[in-house]
Amino acid sequence: MIPKVYSSEEFEEKYTYSGELGFEWSPEKTAFRLWAPTAEKAKIRLFKSGNPNAEDCFEEIEMDSDLFGTWTAEKEGNLNGVYYTFSVTVEGEEREAADPYAKAAGTNGKRSMVINLAETNPEDWEEDEGVFYGKSITDAVIYELHIRDLSSDKSSGIINKGKFLGAAEEGTKTPDGIPTGIDHIKELGVTHVHLLPSFDYGSVDESALDKPQFNWGYDPENFNIPEGSYSTDPENGAVRIREMKQMIKTFHKNGIGVVMDMVYNHVFHTEEFCLNVLVPGYFSRTDENGNYSAGSGCGNDTASERSMVKKFIVDSVKYWADEYHIDGFRFDLSGLLDIATMNEITEAVHPTHPNVIFYCEGWVMPTHVTKPVVELANQYNSEKMPGCSFFSDTIRDYLIGPAFKSEEKGFVTGKTGRKELFEECFKGMPFWCKNPTKCINYVSCHDGYTLFDRIGIACPEADFEEKIRRSNLAAAVYMLSQGVPFFQAGEEMLRRKTNPDGTAEHNSYKSPDSVNSLKWSDLSKPEYKKVFEYYKGLIRFRKAHGALRLESAGEVYSHVSVAETGAEDVFAFHIWGGAKEETAEAIFVAFNPTKEEKEIRLPVGKWKLCINGETAGTEVLSEEEKTFIIPPLCAAAMIK
Ligand code: CA
């Protein structure tokens, strides 16, 4: 039973601390500060190693009660590399846990570590400043990647398989000499890689990395520390930090931003999460009976409306931006967090990091909020969060069918029509969204089937070539739409997630590497290589045309209009230049989702075709005037 008092005004007035928490290191001494207002006593325990099972505690230091429910202690000497935990007494019971504000930790994140962070910096880290300054989020093209997937297949040619360092290996190739890893990503032309959880999560045992293990990592252990299993030595707390920074620096050197997928909405183990141990149940919401409850079904829901949870989340995001030069944040199930927290995050980060982008998985979720009025950060409230964008399940479901009904078809798999919905999506403003800068357009991410698997399920009768045309059509729609294109790594090479029994996996969160890995050797096959070239071309075309990346509703209304082609089922748009450094006078795009070729009317003028069903780019493929025969299952884009 958790006291309801945590969310009362009296408690918040008395116990909201706005200063620094955790430790402050110097060569001469280390100062500690813990927020634990319900504790009767508090102490620090110091350890020699980061192994949570080693009995090597060499000192206990009593902490002094200080302002606003905090406890402090100082220890003389250079503590760099010393491991520690906090132990508090609450209602006579001793409770020990890691530091919620820990910046380094040993194996499985159970012991925090004092660290001189300067020693973890790679060479020239001070000159590294991230990417994407002066850009709009609509200029981004985002690539969603799991650290292990990039390198775990043998054909990657990457040495540090499954590691941060593997994602930083340049010059890697398949046995056939085709670039893999970061070189592939750079060639593709995306602006950001979005890393699935790379903070310290709990579902992979870092002490048993010789055993095959895989998890997406949506189960936070330490929010402010890199995941240990992605490092070459999880026991030494400095190694994972140094290696993650090295990776980030390498992405930046290649002009690619790094987005972190942050999971503030819940924790791995409700009762074992450090803040819930040290201040019993403070971090997580409880129901009317005072019991932990997850209205969301995620095990527990974070009580972001409580002042010190909010501070914790804001401090955490700011820390990643400051210390790791992170260029963007994706918030898992933000519909469980509150709007005020999201706004405090963007207001805290943007003044010093104006390049950082923020976007949210803003589904509406049931949850038991702990204050009378808490507005939740879901997509329907997007206008109340000026700094955040939101995933569009509207365009996803429109193009491939509803997420949880895999047998249902979408626009690219045979369900034509619903023109108005197409128009809303193409303009980057589906019904819940009033501005293209707030709309993340996608058809595939880690959740659900890969695009190619989904097409295979929806169109079992289709041959390989037809499935590729459908896949390319989906990509062309979201890449040419207003808003922000986003895709799962490998979509550009027809990624599938195939179980050993041959079925497609839709929830591969703990499937083996053989299911999840990117299969680089596929790029040796001409059909796959051609799809990769198609994605490259779509991205090149998008980057070359500012009119596809407009930044306000007003611009979209005045520059993008529906074009009548005379062919039912073919949807087309006329996009006028004159906005955002657009060099073309106009762009014309058309989408034929049917299996028949269609003759369509073109707007007045001579048009240069740059994109069709199998080729995309900025090179002119043909000149067209008055009419155009658009092939079956085909996107076409022309400029004049
Ligand atoms: Ca971990």
Side-chain angles (χ1 to χ4, degrees):
M1 169 105 178
I2 310 301
K4 273 187 182 173
V5 66
Y6 291 151
S7 295
S8 69
E9 279 181 38
E10 296 76 13
F11 187 89
E12 299 218 322
E13 267 175 36
K14 207 166 165 189
Y15 297 123
T16 299
Y17 179 74
S18 60
E20 299 256 322
L21 289 166
F23 70 87
E24 198 177 328
W25 172 88
S26 78
E28 294 78 32
K29 65 175 186 193
T30 298
F32 296 87
R33 188 181 289 269
L34 166 69
W35 183 77
T38 56
E40 291 129 30
K41 282 198 291 188
K43 63 186 177 186
I44 305 164
R45 305 187 73 213
L46 301 180
F47 302 88
K48 287 189 177 135
S49 79
N51 175 356
N53 302 317
E55 293 190 7
D56 54 0
C57 175
F58 63 91
E59 190 175 344
E60 295 195 340
I61 305 166
E62 294 293 327
M63 301 185 84
D64 299 322
S65 175
D66 203 86
L67 298 168
F68 301 107
T70 64
W71 297 79
T72 59
E74 269 187 17
K75 166 79 177 159
E76 301 285 316
N78 188 346
L79 264 58
N80 184 24
V82 168
Y83 293 84
Y84 70 100
T85 58
F86 288 124
S87 176
V88 297
T89 305
V90 181
E91 292 178 347
E93 185 198 356
E94 249 192 85
R95 308 166 68 96
E96 184 181 4
D99 181 359
Y101 273 78
K103 292 175 169 149
T107 311
N108 287 327
K110 298 298 183 194
R111 288 181 181 173
S112 311
M113 187 182 107
V114 177
I115 192 163
N116 169 15
L117 282 166
E119 279 184 8
T120 65
N121 291 346
E123 210 181 318
D124 300 326
W125 184 242
E126 298 71 30
E127 277 116 72
D128 177 271
E129 56 177 15
V131 302
F132 219 56
Y133 285 88
K135 300 278 180 85
S136 157
I137 191 168
T138 56
D139 299 327
V141 180
I142 303 168
Y143 189 72
E144 188 206 45
L145 178 69
H146 186 283
I147 286 289
R148 281 195 73 82
D149 295 352
L150 186 73
S151 55
S152 58
D153 191 68
K154 203 167 67 183
S155 67
S156 71
I158 292 170
I159 296 163
N160 291 288
K161 291 197 167 51
K163 306 294 180 190
F164 290 129
L165 289 180
E169 274 180 49
E170 297 171 283
T172 60
K173 290 185 165 55
T174 67
D176 288 340
I178 296 164
T180 63
I182 191 172
D183 287 8
H184 167 92
I185 297 170
K186 187 180 184 184
E187 185 181 342
L188 184 56
V190 296
T191 62
H192 293 76
V193 290
H194 153 145
L195 301 177
L196 259 67
S198 296
F199 54 81
D200 182 28
Y201 60 78
S203 50
V204 164
D205 183 357
E206 299 175 6
S207 71
L209 295 181
D210 48 341
K211 278 194 309 198
Q213 296 187 73
F214 180 95
N215 209 286
W216 284 342
Y218 289 87
D219 29 45
E221 184 80 37
N222 284 285
F223 283 101
N224 302 323
I225 296 175
E227 162 58 13
S229 67
Y230 299 153
S231 78
T232 57
D233 182 3
E235 189 174 334
N236 179 337
V239 174
R240 55 178 83 182
I241 301 174
R242 187 176 302 122
E243 292 178 348
M244 188 176 184
K245 284 178 174 174
Q246 181 63 47
M247 174 193 71
I248 293 163
K249 190 187 139 186
T250 309
F251 275 118
H252 286 168
K253 193 184 81 183
N254 285 283
I256 299 164
V258 177
V259 175
M260 295 263 294
D261 188 341
M262 296 306 295
V263 188
Y264 293 111
N265 62 78
H266 72 272
V267 295
F268 186 36
H269 279 139
T270 322
E271 296 184 25
E272 290 171 28
F273 179 62
C274 49
L275 191 47
N276 279 341
V277 171
L278 297 166
V279 188
Y282 184 79
F283 194 78
S284 306
R285 290 182 184 134
T286 47
D287 63 17
E288 57 277 12
N289 300 319
N291 299 313
Y292 287 121
S293 73
S296 68
C298 296
N300 54 79
D301 297 344
T302 297
S304 66
E305 64 276 20
R306 290 182 178 146
S307 62
M308 293 302 283
V309 176
K310 174 174 302 176
K311 171 183 162 59
F312 178 84
I313 296 173
V314 174
D315 287 349
S316 172
V317 177
K318 183 139 193 318
Y319 175 70
W320 284 106
D322 288 342
E323 183 64 32
Y324 288 83
H325 307 176
I326 293 295
D327 308 277
F329 296 89
R330 178 261 192 192
F331 296 95
D332 188 57
L333 296 178
S334 66
L336 293 170
L337 305 173
D338 68 295
I339 287 176
T341 298
M342 298 312 300
N343 285 336
E344 277 193 37
I345 291 169
T346 57
E347 286 160 17
V349 173
H350 270 156
T352 42
H353 306 281
N355 62 318
V356 168
I357 57 174
F358 297 96
Y359 51 95
C360 300
E361 188 192 26
W363 317 143
V364 174
M365 305 290 291
T367 184
H368 301 285
V369 294
T370 65
K371 289 185 180 177
V373 181
V374 178
E375 280 193 297
L376 295 170
N378 61 55
Q379 63 192 153
Y380 294 95
N381 288 326
S382 69
E383 284 302 293
K384 296 179 180 173
M385 291 166 276
C388 296
S389 308
F390 291 81
F391 282 101
S392 174
D393 50 344
T394 319
I395 191 169
R396 180 197 68 195
D397 291 357
Y398 180 87
L399 289 175
I400 59 169
F404 299 106
K405 295 179 184 165
S406 53
E407 68 291 349
E408 273 193 37
K409 292 175 188 282
F411 181 77
V412 305
T413 45
K415 185 174 180 179
T416 53
R418 301 180 294 165
K419 189 174 186 179
E420 279 168 17
L421 194 51
F422 189 101
E423 187 183 332
E424 286 175 17
C425 290
F426 187 78
K427 290 182 174 176
M429 290 180 283
F431 63 96
W432 50 270
C433 178
K434 299 200 168 48
N435 190 303
T437 59
K438 310 203 88 45
C439 188
I440 308 282
N441 295 319
Y442 76 114
V443 289
S444 83
C445 68
H446 63 282
D447 277 322
Y449 290 108
T450 71
L451 174 59
F452 206 64
D453 281 338
R454 177 85 191 220
I455 289 170
I457 290 165
C459 305
E461 73 296 338
D463 63 15
F464 190 48
E465 191 207 359
E466 181 186 321
K467 283 190 275 194
I468 291 174
R469 293 191 72 83
R470 293 184 183 279
S471 183
N472 283 353
L473 177 60
V477 175
Y478 74 76
M479 289 278 197
L480 295 168
S481 289
Q482 302 293 332
V484 186
F486 169 104
F487 59 104
Q488 184 184 26
E491 197 192 281
E492 78 283 11
M493 43 182 175
L494 305 175
R495 182 174 185 177
R496 284 159 296 154
K497 292 181 181 172
T498 311
N499 289 313
D501 67 2
T503 57
E505 181 55 63
H506 73 283
N507 187 10
S508 68
Y509 76 102
K510 59 174 187 179
S511 299
D513 287 338
S514 59
V515 175
N516 278 300
S517 61
L518 294 172
K519 311 292 189 294
W520 297 102
S521 53
D522 280 344
L523 286 170
S524 293
K525 303 169 201 161
E527 304 91 334
Y528 291 74
K529 181 75 169 31
K530 205 162 178 211
V531 172
F532 173 53
E533 294 297 330
Y534 192 74
Y535 274 71
K536 273 169 66 181
L538 288 175
I539 293 169
R540 205 158 63 241
F541 187 81
R542 183 175 177 87
K543 284 180 166 176
H545 293 288
L548 301 176
R549 299 180 270 112
L550 301 174
E551 294 169 27
S552 70
E555 277 184 322
V556 173
Y557 289 129
S558 57
H559 289 270
V560 183
S561 56
V562 172
E564 291 305 334
T565 63
E568 201 189 349
D569 291 332
V570 175
F571 299 158
F573 296 86
H574 195 274
I575 306 160
W576 299 97
K580 205 170 168 178
E581 295 168 7
E582 176 58 64
T583 49
E585 186 189 319
I587 302 170
F588 172 79
V589 297
F591 304 97
N592 179 7
T594 75
K595 290 180 79 171
E596 292 92 46
E597 64 176 34
K598 303 268 183 179
E599 184 176 273
I600 59 172
R601 276 198 308 272
L602 297 178
V604 176
K606 287 196 168 119
W607 293 93
K608 300 185 178 83
L609 181 76
C610 295
I611 294 172
N612 62 24
E614 61 270 359
T615 308
T618 47
E619 300 78 20
V620 178
L621 303 171
S622 63
E623 298 221 6
E624 309 291 340
E625 199 174 358
K626 293 195 177 96
T627 62
F628 176 66
I629 309 286
I630 185 165
L633 301 172
C634 178
M638 310 176 189
I639 58 169
K640 72 168 184 184

